[in-house]
Amino acid sequence: MQEKPPEALVRVACLQFEPKIGQKEANIARSVARIEAAAAGGARLIVLPELCNSGYVFNERAEAHDLAEELPAGPSCAAWIEVAHRLGLHIVAGIAERDGAALYNSAAVIGPEGFLGTYRKNHLWGEENLFFEPGDLGIPVWRTPLGRIAVAICYDGWFPETYRLAALQGAEILCVPTNWVPMPEQPVNLPVMANILAMSGAHSNGMFVAAADRVGNERGQPFLGCSLIVDSTGWPLAGPASATEEQVLMVDLNLADARRKRALNTFNHPLRDRRTDMYGEMLGSDARRSWY
């Protein structure tokens, strides 16, 4: 008997590298070169780190403003749109966004046919609060030929609501551009907290997670690396990547498993079993449920 092929097979790549603060043109060029290399290896959904076009540790608002760009009109999106169209890719890339006088820590979502939309980081970390506005676009889900894609950025992953609202809207994979930093009192013999949270979010919601971190030390701030791609059951499929070196994680996923394997056993399904008599089904948001 011939084995049934995967229904929604996609090769996903997380590109872990070190953007240089203020060197936007060089960062864009390096990101495109890495995208091209991942595409040559068969990747069709590619995730880049948070603020990968600008760097992360801004000295002042004027610096953040000058490095940010409108979406999708700026040079970073133009470069990513071109390579996505040329190679038939979907790309999720962290970017400093300027919208009028407001700045956002954002992600551009791009497909082969062009710009699909923007995700704006909802939960700001540390000194990001000096430069950026909290996200105001909720947690959108993009329906693509590959599957249903949602996005979170770094500290968003510390909030179970992020994963839950994405899953309730039918997301099969959560793409996470991130700049993880060390957490206090991290035991050396355990996975980093960011990896644990990605695994628990995937497990509790039956959803793949692809997190692309950066490495290096920027203006005294170290970053963790440890990029990770997690199965919809919560177990790592690729990574954690190196804590210090640039690296590409690449793995084939059957995104249909995010629907098939959501049930934990004959009796239990983490979305169906929720006590919506005790709390609002959509957690007070105006998002529309679309999982099944």
Side-chain angles (χ1 to χ4, degrees):
M1 181 176 177
Q2 187 176 8
E3 185 177 350
K4 184 180 179 181
E7 301 89 341
L9 186 66
V10 57
R11 185 164 294 179
V12 177
C14 289
L15 310 186
Q16 177 172 294
F17 65 98
E18 183 179 2
K20 301 293 185 181
I21 185 71
Q23 298 180 22
K24 190 160 77 168
E25 186 175 337
N27 291 335
I28 296 169
R30 294 174 70 220
S31 73
V32 169
R34 284 162 171 76
I35 290 168
E36 291 172 334
R44 288 296 171 264
L45 173 58
I46 298 174
V47 187
L48 281 69
E50 178 180 5
L51 298 178
C52 69
N53 69 324
S54 62
Y56 180 83
V57 183
F58 304 114
N59 278 331
E60 55 187 6
R61 182 176 173 81
E63 180 182 41
H65 184 276
D66 290 345
L67 289 169
E69 56 191 70
E70 296 181 356
L71 298 184
S76 301
C77 267
W80 295 328
I81 289 169
E82 188 282 327
V83 71
H85 177 71
R86 172 163 48 90
L87 299 177
L89 307 174
H90 285 77
I91 297 170
V92 179
I95 185 169
E97 179 194 1
R98 184 171 63 246
D99 183 8
L103 302 181
Y104 296 94
N105 184 338
S106 296
V109 182
I110 295 164
E113 303 306 317
F115 186 75
L116 299 180
T118 303
Y119 174 81
R120 290 172 173 169
K121 187 174 185 178
N122 287 302
H123 306 92
L124 300 179
W125 174 262
E127 292 186 359
E128 291 175 34
N129 288 276
L130 299 177
F131 309 111
F132 296 117
E133 305 295 327
D136 58 359
L137 300 178
I139 301 176
V141 175
W142 286 271
R143 286 157 175 78
T144 77
L146 302 181
R148 297 172 179 176
I149 298 171
V151 179
I153 298 177
C154 199
Y155 187 44
D156 288 330
W158 268 247
F159 296 85
E161 297 86 350
T162 299
Y163 301 95
R164 184 52 47 87
L165 285 172
L168 287 172
Q169 294 176 88
E172 293 151 353
I173 184 167
L174 185 72
C175 296
V176 185
T178 187
N179 281 182
W180 288 326
V181 299
M183 291 290 103
E185 302 182 32
Q186 168 70 51
V188 297
N189 62 326
L190 293 176
V192 297
M193 182 58 69
N195 286 172
I196 294 171
L197 291 169
M199 292 166 61
S200 66
H203 173 78
S204 297
N205 294 281
M207 182 171 57
F208 293 92
V209 175
D213 197 13
R214 62 162 292 169
V215 291
N217 188 305
E218 187 175 278
R219 292 177 172 167
Q221 174 62 66
F223 297 95
L224 285 180
C226 299
S227 298
L228 190 69
I229 301 176
V230 184
D231 185 79
S232 62
T233 58
W235 303 110
L237 292 173
S242 168
T244 57
E245 302 300 319
E246 296 186 339
Q247 189 173 342
V248 175
L249 299 182
M250 195 169 341
V251 68
D252 290 330
L253 308 179
N254 181 13
L255 294 186
D257 283 344
R259 305 186 193 191
R260 178 182 297 106
K261 296 182 179 179
R262 223 160 228 163
L264 300 177
N265 56 47
T266 303
F267 300 98
N268 296 114
H269 186 297
L271 300 187
R272 186 192 64 202
D273 292 346
R274 300 173 69 234
R275 290 290 305 276
T276 54
D277 58 320
M278 297 172 58
Y279 43 75
E281 181 179 25
M282 301 307 292
L283 302 175
S285 80
D286 59 1
R288 296 178 59 189
R289 169 189 166 187
S290 64
W291 70 270
Y292 55 86

